[in-house]
Amino acid sequence: MMSKTFYVIHGPNLNMLGIREPAVYGYETLEDINAEIAALGKELGVTLEFFQSNSEGALIDQIQKAYKKADGIIINPGAYTHYSYAIRDALASVDLPVIEVHLSDIYKREEFRKISVINPVCCAQISGLGKEGYLLALREMVTKYAL
Ligand code: DQA
């Protein structure tokens, strides 16, 4: 059987992890986090494709690319979470299981972060578990959503 493929998509400013507000987001870089997700992917026998962009259009292009190529999407859309109807529509278009991940707890911060416009098109949201959120998302994706 062909191994399943999952897209791991990181939105704006997540390329600044390690430097960006470490009290909120920690000291690990995106590369460090991706390496841990990749190690788990190997253990689970799945193929992962990583992508980061600061641009809404590039994120949408990557989501569209997942159509018929991926079995699910794990996405941290950064601040786009709170207002990008275009990213929400792209996720709804590709008809794949999507898990939304946030490093910080978006419900314990500023008011504007408490709204996720992408949540209604996702199977699950993980918020506030740091990088563990991605690992949990991948495990859940493999065992529950992308069957
Ligand atoms: C974030 C939370 C967002 O509100 C913020 O804009 C980010 C990161 C998180 O991972 O906690 O860029 O998605």
Side-chain angles (χ1 to χ4, degrees):
M1 212 181 67
M2 277 258 290
S3 85
K4 300 234 187 230
T5 298
F6 300 106
Y7 279 16
V8 180
I9 302 177
H10 305 283
N13 300 307
L14 292 165
N15 57 317
M16 295 296 283
L17 288 177
I19 297 166
R20 174 192 188 196
E21 302 177 79
V24 177
Y25 297 114
Y27 286 95
E28 277 186 290
T29 65
L30 188 60
E31 241 174 50
D32 296 335
I33 293 174
N34 280 345
E36 288 200 42
I37 306 168
L40 177 62
K42 209 166 168 196
E43 194 184 306
L44 297 173
V46 299
T47 302
L48 299 177
E49 187 167 321
F50 294 93
F51 183 81
Q52 188 277 328
S53 178
N54 295 322
S55 318
E56 189 176 28
L59 292 165
I60 292 167
D61 287 342
Q62 184 67 9
I63 292 164
Q64 291 183 358
K65 208 179 121 195
Y67 179 64
K68 294 211 168 145
K69 289 216 188 76
D71 298 288
I73 297 174
I74 293 168
I75 186 165
N76 180 348
Y80 284 133
T81 305
H82 314 300
Y83 65 94
S84 177
Y85 299 123
I87 288 178
R88 173 205 160 114
D89 285 354
L91 291 169
S93 301
V94 293
D95 196 28
L96 289 171
V98 180
I99 302 183
E100 172 188 355
V101 175
H102 300 287
L103 294 158
S104 65
D105 184 344
I106 59 172
Y107 300 99
K108 292 211 179 105
R109 301 181 63 196
E110 298 92 334
E111 279 305 305
F112 75 88
R113 292 187 208 275
K114 292 184 180 156
I115 289 167
S116 165
V117 301
I118 75 152
N119 178 270
V121 298
C122 295
C123 320
Q125 182 192 66
I126 300 170
S127 177
L129 294 184
K131 66 165 184 213
E132 296 299 325
Y134 292 102
L135 305 178
L136 185 58
L138 182 55
R139 285 188 193 281
E140 289 295 295
M141 187 60 97
V142 170
T143 57
K144 200 185 278 171
Y145 297 113
L147 301 176

